[in-house]
Amino acid sequence: MIVGTTNITAFTGETIRIRLTVYAEDGSLEDLTGVVARFAMRKNGATTNVIEKACTVDGSDLVVNLSSSETATSGNYSYEFRIRLDGETDSLIIGNLTLNRSLLIEI
């Protein structure tokens, strides 16, 4: 599997869905049958995760939903998708998530 980096910018209080399509090294879609997938996020410079949760597997995609309460605090965060398949553990993507303070509190 190919490991990559993607940076995301969003606003505080938003509901965010992150969908990661997983490709094999030959460019074909990876079969994720039997995969255990997790997502973690921590504030840059911190040593503990503020979010760690299971991902949904949808075909060749990993999906994680972040609720408005999980995106309530502005700042710069690091995130990672990690999977376990056939006894092997791989980090698929590691990136930065920037949550900018929204001008609107509620709509």
Side-chain angles (χ1 to χ4, degrees):
M1 281 167 258
I2 299 170
V3 178
T5 300
T6 298
N7 298 321
I8 300 168
T9 300
F11 290 95
T12 56
E14 287 186 323
T15 302
I16 301 171
R17 172 175 285 176
I18 304 171
R19 178 176 291 271
L20 173 66
T21 302
V22 182
Y23 295 92
E25 290 182 16
D26 66 3
S28 64
L29 292 173
E30 186 71 49
D31 178 9
L32 298 180
T33 303
V35 162
V36 175
R38 306 271 310 157
F39 172 87
M41 185 172 95
R42 76 174 56 164
K43 199 150 193 165
N44 288 352
T47 58
T48 57
N49 296 337
V50 294
I51 298 171
E52 187 170 329
K53 62 195 317 185
C55 300
T56 302
V57 177
D58 181 17
S60 293
D61 293 348
L62 301 177
V63 181
V64 66
N65 294 304
L66 303 179
S67 68
S68 59
S69 63
E70 291 173 317
T71 64
T73 304
S74 63
N76 296 308
Y77 298 84
S78 297
Y79 75 90
E80 176 181 7
F81 280 93
R82 183 173 274 201
I83 65 167
R84 187 173 59 239
L85 177 63
D86 297 330
E88 293 186 23
T89 300
D90 289 304
S91 292
L92 295 181
I93 192 163
I94 300 170
N96 293 302
L97 172 64
T98 301
L99 291 175
N100 293 315
R101 185 173 310 278
S102 177
L103 299 177
L104 297 169
I105 303 301
E106 299 254 348
I107 57 168

